[in-house]
Amino acid sequence: MSFNNSSTLDRRAFMGRCAGCAAFCAAAPLASCSKEKKKIHIIYSLHGPVQEKPDWPNVGFDFNPHMERITGTLQKEIPHFEFVSSMANGPEEAEKLLKADADQAIDGYLVYQMNCWNKVVQTIAASGKPTLYADFQFGGSGGFLIYSSRFTENGTPNLGLVASSDINDLVKAVKCFGKSTSENFAANVTKVRVKNTKKPSGAEFIDDPLTTLDTKDCIEQLHASKILAIRNQESGPADAIMGIPIERIAFAEVNKAWKKADRDEAKSVAARWMNNAEKVIDVPEKTIVNSAAFYLGMKDVLKKHNANAITINCLGGFYGGHIHAYPCLGFHELNNEGLIGACECDTSSTATMVAFTTMTKGRPGYISDPVIDTAKGQIIYAHCVASNKVFGPDGSTNPYSIMTHSEDRQGACVRSVLPTGYLTTTLELIPERKEISLHQAVAVDNDPDDRACRTKLCAEPVGDIDKLVTNWGDWSWHRVTYYGDLKEQAYALADQVGWKVVEEV
């Protein structure tokens, strides 16, 4: 199946190539187009049917069987509806689909967010037609959470939300088209979603004694800390976050440190990583040695600038040829040591890690791209960097494997099998609002799904998980998770610096 990014995919052509759609068209009598049937247009929001570039879920991912399963299941389970299917990768293609539908008597739309940031649902929802917005988990989850939050904030009565791994939950939500208007569609879908969301198990969590710094001492240490932010080739001071100094440095400086790193020492570090790993999967030894050299380079840069935290625009640097190894394994090692290695030059998340690693006397934060699954009643914290010493440098270790970076299947990163049965606190500093977002959850599982990032910690939120579905916040997808109960400490820190805590559930 071909996909042209510059023009709308012809819906009939797509149906002809889609096994589920073809089966429906062959079996349905002419009466299937009767006005007595609700006609629902499914729009898959994605780059293309087979992913050609790095992004969630991963390069080379074949969406075709998933689209066929979704369309085919809806046709089978709701035979009194008529379904047509299309793909679109942005607002221009979405607008073309709306224009083509002008004379088709479409009763509603199902927009499936298959990749994270394709802006299709905004155009479709603006049509005023009942619109069901669904997350293809570990594919479109970032866009789904951010965009859903904006719809909720604006109060969009014609748009309902589905964030479930169980296709039966999708079927139940689609049935709402049959009994709803544009004015009450969102409310009806919400009732169905909440009813079918799995309730927390209520299991007690493992006792986890946690000693923390006095708040004033913590703030003094934050002022004495420093974050190095590597976004591009620029260097110089940047605005502090919660009193934590930030210095921008260039890719070139980190790359130079990588070049100068002692390769024999890098081989020794790499050997330790490989020996301690449960598995090394599809990653050559020379790639791990290269990652170890990058780790040693970062250590030198941190020492040179008297800093304890570093965050790098890793994808931009790697794809732009400015750096020549992913920092993932190096970040893993830094976090195990009580220092801070943070992804994607996200200074807010890095500052969160500095603040609460300082507060907890060395416990590492786990920066992640969260995913919500109402069928399991879980939030899944997913990323390709994670410590395996969640209780601090002197604490116990958990198993990990060395794998390729997920989105592009290159380089080396970590799948850390994180401990279960413990209470976690997830936070994010939001400097623009002078807020600390916070929710807590009990770690219950690790998801091995090959889609998206390698480490996936599954947790049951303490509170109303539906608030996470509908009100994630439009400032960031990232959150930072800590093992332990840090609610009291978060409030104390916020009070001391004149911020406020916003509890997410």
Side-chain angles (χ1 to χ4, degrees), residues 203-210 363 381 390-391 395-398 417-426 440-446 457-462 481-485:
E204 293 186 3
F205 43 83
I206 299 169
D207 185 45
D208 177 18
L210 175 63
R363 288 198 177 192
Y381 306 106
V390 300
F391 304 108
S396 60
T397 61
N398 57 264
V417 182
L418 297 168
T420 59
Y422 291 89
L423 180 69
T424 65
T425 304
T426 295
Q440 294 186 303
V442 179
V444 295
D445 201 358
N446 287 265
L457 175 66
C458 307
E460 292 183 355
V462 178
T481 299
Y482 280 84
Y483 276 70
D485 184 355

Side-chain angles (χ1 to χ4, degrees), residues 371-451:
V371 176
I372 310 298
D373 186 354
T374 60
K376 297 179 180 179
Q378 293 178 355
I379 180 168
I380 302 99
Y381 306 106
H383 236 231
C384 280
V385 170
S387 169
N388 75 317
K389 292 186 175 184
V390 300
F391 304 108
D394 299 324
S396 60
T397 61
N398 57 264
Y400 71 91
S401 296
I402 297 175
M403 307 175 71
T404 58
H405 179 260
S406 178
E407 293 181 359
D408 57 10
R409 300 320 205 218
Q410 297 186 65
C413 78
V414 168
R415 171 178 285 168
S416 185
V417 182
L418 297 168
T420 59
Y422 291 89
L423 180 69
T424 65
T425 304
T426 295
L427 310 117
E428 185 74 15
L429 300 189
I430 310 165
E432 299 84 359
R433 303 174 184 232
K434 292 189 176 181
E435 293 177 354
I436 303 174
S437 69
L438 180 150
H439 70 261
Q440 294 186 303
V442 179
V444 295
D445 201 358
N446 287 265
D447 193 323
D449 197 307
D450 189 54
R451 294 175 294 175

Side-chain angles (χ1 to χ4, degrees), residues 76-94:
K76 177 183 177 182
E77 297 297 326
I78 318 177
H80 55 284
F81 282 13
E82 179 184 358
F83 295 95
V84 293
S85 304
S86 302
M87 293 183 286
N89 67 6
E92 290 185 2
E93 293 191 351

